[in-house]
Amino acid sequence: MFDSHAHYDDERFDEDREGLLDAIDADDSMTGIINASVDITSSEKLIALAALRKKHYAAVGIHPHEAEHAGSGYIEKLREFASAEKVVAIGEIGLDYHYDFSPRDIQRGVFEEQLILAKELSLPVIIHDREAHQDCIEAVLRYPELKGVFHSFSGSAETANILLKRGWYLSFNGIITFKNAAKPRSVAQIVPDDRLLIETDCPYLSPVPLRGRRNDSRNLRYIEAELANLRGQTIEHIEKITTENAKRLFGIK
Ligand SMILES: [Zn+2]
C-alpha cells in the first residue's frame, strides 16, 4: 500500500511517534508514504523524518491555512529544501475557502508562487482544494507543464473530468467510506486506473469502522476495500495501480 498523503509531524503523534513508525516500517504491506508539509517548520521536520525512515518521502510547501504566515523569503527556503534527498513534491498547497484562515487574496498569491516554483523545479504538486474548485482549476491550468494530484478530491464529476483530461491525478481517503459522501464516492468510480491515488491524510479522517479515532497509514486497507467495492475491482488490483501511480507521479523507483 502506498499512502500518498500523511502528516507524521502532527502533534497527535508526539507521544508514540517512534513506536508507531517502527510498526509501520515492519509492516510488509506498506510500500511508501508521502508526508505533506503545511509550513516551513513542518517542511524541515518532514525532510528530517524522510532521511531517517526508508519508506517515507517529503513534500515541502505552505498550506493555504498558513499562507498569511508564510514569511518573507519562503520561496527561497522551499527552493533550498527541494534539493534535499527524498523531497519528491511541492505540497500541500492550494486554496481553502471553507475555513478562510488566511485572506483569500493572500492564499491565491502564495499558491501561485509555489506553482511557479514547482514548474521551475520540475516537481509535481499536491493540491489542497476545499470549496475553491474554480479558482484551483484555473490556477493549475495556467501551467500546463505542471503535474500533480488533487488530494482528498471533493469536486464534481465535471471538475474531475477537466483535471483528468489534463493529466492530473485524483486521490481519495477515508471520506469515501462515509455514507453521506455521495459525491466523492461516485467520482471515485470514474477515475481511470492510471490516475487513481489513495491516502490516509492521517492523523485525520479515519475510515469507517475507525471513524473518530486517530488515523495511520495501515488503515489504507479499509479505503482500498471500499474502492474495490465501488469500482468493481479486486483489492489487489487497487493496491497495484495506486502504488504504481504514486511511484510514477513522484518519481520513486
Ligand atoms: Zn493534508
Side-chain angles (χ1 to χ4, degrees):
M1 303 188 286
F2 198 110
D3 191 352
S4 70
H5 196 108
H7 297 279
Y8 282 106
D9 61 326
D10 192 278
E11 60 183 20
R12 287 176 70 186
F13 293 117
D14 281 355
E15 62 184 77
D16 63 345
R17 181 177 292 103
E18 295 309 311
L20 175 67
L21 293 179
D22 284 347
I24 292 169
D25 279 349
D27 187 333
D28 289 336
S29 64
M30 287 303 311
T31 308
I33 297 162
I34 310 282
N35 282 291
S37 297
V38 297
D39 59 14
I40 293 295
T41 307
S42 114
S43 299
E44 285 172 326
K45 282 186 190 166
L46 292 171
I47 290 170
L49 191 156
L52 291 172
R53 297 271 174 186
K54 198 162 171 253
K55 295 176 185 176
H56 288 253
Y57 299 85
V60 297
I62 311 290
H63 190 287
H65 288 344
E66 307 300 328
E68 196 178 8
H69 312 290
S72 62
Y74 76 93
I75 287 290
E76 278 61 45
K77 285 183 191 142
L78 292 176
R79 184 182 288 115
E80 186 193 319
F81 293 163
S83 66
E85 211 187 336
K86 297 179 84 181
V87 170
V88 295
I90 299 295
E92 58 182 297
I93 63 174
L95 302 171
D96 193 311
Y97 295 170
H98 177 76
Y99 287 109
D100 282 321
F101 285 158
S102 285
R104 292 184 182 183
D105 57 330
I106 295 177
Q107 288 190 44
R108 286 190 286 263
V110 169
F111 182 29
E112 187 99 16
E113 287 186 330
Q114 293 181 95
L115 290 174
I116 293 167
L117 178 69
K119 186 187 129 181
E120 174 200 316
L121 299 173
S122 300
L123 280 174
V125 291
I126 298 173
I127 305 292
H128 172 105
D129 163 16
R130 186 130 187 226
E131 294 173 24
H133 307 314
Q134 190 62 35
D135 283 1
C136 274
I137 290 196
E138 281 179 21
V140 300
L141 296 187
R142 273 197 287 277
Y143 304 96
E145 315 87 327
L146 272 183
K147 54 182 183 168
V149 55
F150 273 61
H151 110 85
S152 191
F153 186 74
S154 58
S156 64
E158 195 188 351
T159 304
N161 279 321
I162 294 169
L163 290 167
L164 291 166
K165 220 176 278 171
R166 305 288 285 265
W168 286 79
Y169 292 74
L170 304 181
S171 182
F172 297 90
N173 53 36
I175 290 175
I176 62 155
T177 68
F178 304 167
K179 284 214 169 65
N180 59 357
K183 199 157 63 166
R185 284 169 61 82
S186 68
V187 174
Q189 296 173 42
I190 62 159
V191 179
D193 273 9
D194 63 351
R195 300 298 178 67
L196 183 71
L197 293 182
I198 53 173
E199 61 175 65
T200 55
D201 204 11
C202 67
Y204 313 105
L205 296 173
S206 277
V208 172
L210 306 171
R211 197 173 176 179
R213 285 198 241 166
R214 187 184 71 177
N215 200 4
D216 74 63
S217 300
R218 295 169 298 183
N219 299 332
L220 277 178
R221 63 187 85 255
Y222 297 104
I223 296 157
E224 287 184 348
E226 190 58 37
L227 277 173
N229 168 40
L230 288 168
R231 293 166 63 88
Q233 295 171 320
T234 64
I235 292 175
E236 292 70 25
H237 183 75
I238 297 289
E239 188 156 314
K240 180 174 174 283
I241 60 172
T242 55
T243 300
E244 285 172 0
N245 293 343
K247 288 182 170 178
R248 184 188 322 111
L249 176 60
F250 297 111
I252 293 168
K253 299 250 163 65

